[in-house]
Amino acid sequence: MNRRAIGYRVSIAAAGALTLSVIGSSGLAAALDDPYGDSDVAVSVEIPELEGPGALAMTVAGSSAALTESGSTATSRQFTGTLPTVTVTDTRDPADIPEGAFWYVLGSITDFTGDAGQPDIVSAESFGWAPALVAGDPGSVSAGDEVDPGEGFVDSEILSVAYDSAEIAPEGSWSANAGLELLTGATVAPGQYSATLTLSLFE
């Protein structure tokens, strides 16, 4: 069977800061104290039934994940975090899904390299995750198996539909996230490290 994939990349690095600007409020307060009248407007919308063949799609609620140190020992250092929620939506009519077709989401990650020229490279094999289904029918879709650091993180499954999606899970939306873990040696050079985790939806 030919596979088609929809890819999405998540940078595993420190989260960025968001700066908000606040404008002065004295003029607004004065206006609210002396209204010139109120009028309500009813807003309505008719949402028609979805037309067309529908689609199988994946979204990820974020493009970065930060790992922080937790659970380190005298011989190893451990860093943990959480993957942004991954959602797969299938709006296709069951009649449009090929017989025997099924979908699944795989993840793969690059090595962690230092952002300031650190001499150490933290291997992708030092990375692991623990997927969990957070939304959707667990009878038709399941989260992937846990992968511990050191087991080899290559094409690891985070979410998959049971065999033959046309019969088992014809339409719906399912979401999963994963606890992330990175294990390094105790003598790893300090500094900021980053890697790219690629999520791909296949059918």
Side-chain angles (χ1 to χ4, degrees):
M1 177 188 297
N2 292 328
R3 299 194 305 178
R4 65 185 184 90
I6 300 171
Y8 202 102
R9 287 182 170 82
V10 178
S11 296
I12 309 297
L18 177 64
T19 302
L20 300 179
S21 298
V22 180
I23 60 173
S25 60
S26 58
L28 177 60
L32 291 177
D33 289 341
D34 189 22
Y36 288 95
D38 296 315
S39 180
D40 295 333
V41 177
V43 179
S44 63
V45 60
E46 179 179 353
I47 301 178
E49 184 176 348
L50 185 66
E51 296 181 0
L56 176 66
M58 178 182 69
T59 58
V60 181
S63 59
S64 64
L67 305 182
T68 57
E69 188 159 15
S70 173
S72 294
T73 68
T75 57
S76 64
R77 301 183 70 178
Q78 179 175 276
F79 303 84
T80 61
T82 303
L83 183 74
T85 300
V86 180
T87 299
V88 174
T89 303
D90 195 346
T91 59
R92 299 172 296 176
D93 188 286
D96 296 328
I97 302 175
E99 183 178 356
F102 60 98
W103 56 258
Y104 50 98
V105 179
L106 301 181
S108 61
I109 195 167
T110 63
D111 292 334
F112 285 76
T113 57
D115 293 349
Q118 292 96 316
D120 293 332
I121 293 177
V122 181
S123 169
E125 291 191 357
S126 302
F127 180 79
W129 70 6
L133 187 68
V134 296
D137 179 10
S140 57
V141 172
S142 60
D145 294 332
E146 181 175 351
V147 179
D148 292 326
E151 291 183 356
F153 192 90
V154 179
D155 288 341
S156 299
E157 190 174 276
I158 183 173
L159 191 64
S160 68
V161 69
Y163 186 75
D164 197 346
S165 57
E167 295 183 7
I168 302 299
E171 292 179 279
S173 182
W174 304 268
S175 297
N177 60 18
L180 308 179
E181 183 180 359
L182 181 68
L183 200 62
T184 75
T187 59
V188 64
Q192 183 78 19
Y193 290 76
S194 61
T196 298
L197 173 63
T198 301
L199 302 167
S200 300
L201 169 64
F202 292 97
E203 181 180 54

